[in-house]
Amino acid sequence: DAGVIQSPRHEVTEMGQEVTLRCKPISGHDYLFWYRQTMMRGLELLIYFNNNVPIDDSGMPEDRFSAKMPNASFSTLKIQPSEPRDSAVYFCASSGSSYNEQFFGPGTRLTVL
Amino acid sequence: AQSVTQLGSHVSVSEGALVLLRCNYSSSVPPYLFWYVQYPNQGLQLLLKYTSAATLVKGINGFEAEFKKSETSFHLTKPSAHMSDAAEYFCALGNGGYNKLIFGAGTRLAVHP
């Protein structure tokens, strides 16, 4: 298996632009997680899905952030409009069940100028 | 409130020396505890996990951790450091499962010849 796939690996954009991050989980995994990693706040869970349904989005920082999972093999995290403080590494992870380990993708490094 | 504290943001050891990375947790329920490793420009990889089956947990790459309830600790050790162990290590607490993981701030391990 190819593991969790994220695209793009790097994104540089200007403040106010829309940013879309993409994730393909491991085939057969029912859970998908989005994390953000910054120097100031460390690694934070933003939202997670079970069977394509958002279960907990309490970590989403504000309304500018939205996440979707239209099918079992694809999820997006969108920021609109983007701000410099959104600059971070965004990770996607997936797992096979509530009691299986999470497998992380390589991350997307986002820079908002 | 549930939390994870990693003592020491940076640890430096000589090759062949003992590695000890410290993690303390706070949890109102029996905890699930994890150690993850992150190599540069990569996602997180699970080293080991504690799920109440045994207090001494062995993981990959020669690492192990001991759960001590009385000390609310889950320290990570390796008898002999290797240059390839240089990475950032994260302790994580699972809230009622593996989904809502709370990560510590991380400890960057440097290994010098």
Side-chain angles (χ1 to χ4, degrees), chain A residues 29-85:
Chain A
H29 280 189
D30 295 330
Y31 287 82
L32 184 138
F33 307 82
W34 281 102
Y35 290 88
R36 178 172 68 176
Q37 185 179 38
T38 62
M39 290 292 292
M40 291 296 294
R41 300 176 66 88
L43 198 63
E44 305 171 281
L45 176 65
L46 300 178
I47 184 171
Y48 78 92
F49 296 82
N50 177 217
N51 291 324
N52 313 335
V53 176
I55 302 300
D56 189 329
D57 65 355
S58 59
M60 296 285 264
E62 49 196 280
D63 292 345
R64 297 185 296 106
F65 286 70
S66 62
K68 295 182 179 180
M69 192 164 185
N71 57 63
S73 60
F74 183 66
S75 176
T76 60
L77 178 67
K78 187 174 293 187
I79 308 173
Q80 166 63 17
S82 59
E83 296 182 4
R85 60 194 168 113

Side-chain angles (χ1 to χ4, degrees), chain A residues 77-95:
Chain A
L77 178 67
K78 187 174 293 187
I79 308 173
Q80 166 63 17
S82 59
E83 296 182 4
R85 60 194 168 113
D86 301 330
S87 297
V89 181
Y90 291 82
F91 289 102
C92 177
S94 70
S95 72

Side-chain angles (χ1 to χ4, degrees), chain B residues 11 13 19 21 37-40 42 63 78 81-89 107-112:
Chain B
V11 170
V13 301
V19 175
L21 305 182
V37 60
Q38 184 179 27
Y39 298 101
Q42 295 186 28
F63 284 94
K78 182 174 180 177
H82 192 272
M83 298 294 287
S84 61
D85 294 327
E88 189 152 19
Y89 292 80
T107 297
R108 188 170 299 276
L109 175 67
V111 182
H112 51 85

